[in-house]
Amino acid sequence: MKIDSVTLREIHMPLVHFFETSFGRVYSRRILLVSVAADGVCGWGECVAGEDPYYSPEWTETAWPTIKHYLAPLLLQSELDAGRDCAARFARVRGHRMAKAALENAVWDAEARQKQQPLWKLLGGTRREIACGVSIGIQDTPEQLLQKIETELAAGYRRIKIKVKPGWDLNVLEKIRARWADIVLSVDANSAYTLDQVEHLRKFDAFNLLMIEQPLWNDEIYLHARLQKAIQTAICLDESILNARDADFALEIGACRILNIKVGRVGGFGEAKKVHDVAVRHNVPVWCGGMLESGVGRAHNIALSTLENFRLPGDVSASKRYWKEDIIEPEVEVRADGMIAVSDAPGTGYQVREGLVRKFTVREETFGAGKA
Ligand code: OSB
Ligand code: MG
């Protein structure tokens, strides 16, 4: 493939409802989108870095110059065979996985469109529908949280995940379980606890949770193995797993029993597939995490979720939970049975609404010869 040009855009999209985690509240997203023009087709990718360096060291303002000065030039310097070759091309740049993923995924998207193949097939997926859960942020009151859970259950979602932190955990779980004894429920701490709190964390075992996600430090794996030995609830790692080696290590030492795969966190589809395959070898289920994506990233998450070992409902949910208007058509819709039907159309099966992207764009720059 010859990449003729790379266009980088920053779009601003207000969320329909704020999203709060243990590291803060976000009302509006600043999203970087990349499009690559290659052999007459256009592929799109989304950088899932946040507005602040809280979830990861990367954020919107580090991704832009990294793509501009390092990654886009590497992509434009010579032809490449396929999306799977991007990672080697970018290897010299350390870290910046979300920036790398935005470009790599755009190339996979272009490759699929060029081959007139669905992206999910190109990735090696098999599932024709994917199971959906929701991630519900910290609210102002437990009553508001219960209201939100009720709405999502009525919409058909198959797994409820709530965000927890000290002060917003056992008290809220008591209320949820008093109302819904049997729903599939999990919690995500985004590193809000330390190993000193093992007695407190053990109390989560009373609530029959599917998992507790990333209870301890984002840059720590070994101590999660210690915690996993001390509690019954399955640990799922998110922030700690940056590549397939991390996944292999974590599963070998028993640091978790479930993996959350975010394609941006691990640096692109190629590495996400490797993490998936490591989990298969360990017979550990995975699910697809979300990063409050626009339709571009959401469509990529759907394609990834068609791989065989995505056995648990992901945080991939309907466009309308996030946006008044999403930038793809059709928008992502979740059926009443909590599933998303996977499209057979070439590429992601969703078209980017370029007029709407233009309306949301606050800065734009094109690198290379043509226009993406
Ligand atoms: O830890 O999964 C997380 C959003 C931003 C940063 C981190 C996380 C999340 C979510 C949102 O949980 C999931 C979604 O996109 O709905
Ligand atoms: Mg998480």
Side-chain angles (χ1 to χ4, degrees), residues 184-195:
V184 182
L185 182 64
S186 64
V187 299
D188 185 357
N190 291 111
S191 305
Y193 301 92
T194 65
L195 203 51

Side-chain angles (χ1 to χ4, degrees), residues 157-175:
Y157 286 101
R158 293 177 172 232
R159 185 270 281 139
I160 301 290
K161 151 175 151 186
I162 65 159
K163 293 288 183 178
V164 290
K165 64 176 183 181
W168 180 274
D169 49 15
L170 302 172
N171 51 338
V172 206
L173 287 170
E174 296 267 8
K175 290 192 164 69

Side-chain angles (χ1 to χ4, degrees), residues 52-253:
D52 304 290
Y54 299 159
Y55 168 86
S56 80
E58 280 190 276
W59 60 299
T60 314
E61 293 286 349
T62 62
W64 184 288
T66 304
I67 292 171
K68 172 174 174 168
H69 296 296
Y70 294 95
L71 304 178
L74 286 168
L75 207 53
L76 290 159
Q77 79 187 9
S78 60
E79 292 201 17
L80 72 175
D81 284 340
R84 88 179 96 78
D85 300 329
C86 287
R89 192 65 74 89
F90 296 154
R92 184 176 182 197
V93 174
R94 289 189 179 169
H96 298 282
R97 293 177 187 82
M98 294 171 178
K100 289 174 178 172
L103 274 177
E104 178 180 323
N105 296 353
V107 173
W108 280 87
D109 188 30
E111 183 187 347
R113 286 177 201 273
Q114 199 177 85
K115 292 179 171 158
Q116 287 286 302
Q117 238 191 64
L119 176 61
W120 63 266
K121 252 189 199 165
L122 192 65
L123 289 170
T126 51
R127 296 177 185 275
R128 308 309 334 286
E129 48 178 34
I130 64 160
C132 307
V134 285
S135 172
I136 306 181
I138 294 166
Q139 307 295 315
D140 288 327
T141 65
E143 289 65 40
Q144 283 171 3
L145 178 66
L146 294 185
Q147 185 57 51
K148 283 219 136 45
I149 294 174
E150 185 171 309
T151 304
E152 305 300 5
L153 289 172
Y157 286 101
R158 293 177 172 232
R159 185 270 281 139
I160 301 290
K161 151 175 151 186
I162 65 159
K163 293 288 183 178
V164 290
K165 64 176 183 181
W168 180 274
D169 49 15
L170 302 172
N171 51 338
V172 206
L173 287 170
E174 296 267 8
K175 290 192 164 69
I176 297 172
R177 277 301 185 214
R179 178 118 164 236
W180 297 282
D182 299 325
I183 57 168
V184 182
L185 182 64
S186 64
V187 299
D188 185 357
N190 291 111
S191 305
Y193 301 92
T194 65
L195 203 51
D196 299 343
Q197 291 162 300
V198 59
E199 284 314 316
H200 178 72
L201 290 166
R202 222 196 292 271
K203 296 187 181 136
F204 285 69
D205 287 345
F207 297 99
N208 185 26
L209 300 175
L210 179 61
M211 69 190 90
I212 176 168
E213 189 178 339
Q214 198 68 41
L216 308 177
W217 304 273
N218 67 294
D219 56 356
E220 174 60 46
I221 294 176
Y222 172 69
L223 293 178
H224 280 96
R226 283 235 211 125
L227 177 63
Q228 184 66 92
K229 283 197 186 74
I231 63 175
Q232 279 163 17
T233 307
I235 292 176
C236 169
L237 290 179
D238 173 353
E239 282 91 324
S240 299
I241 306 298
L242 301 180
N243 52 48
R245 282 179 292 103
D246 287 345
D248 203 21
F249 175 66
L251 297 179
E252 200 166 301
I253 67 169

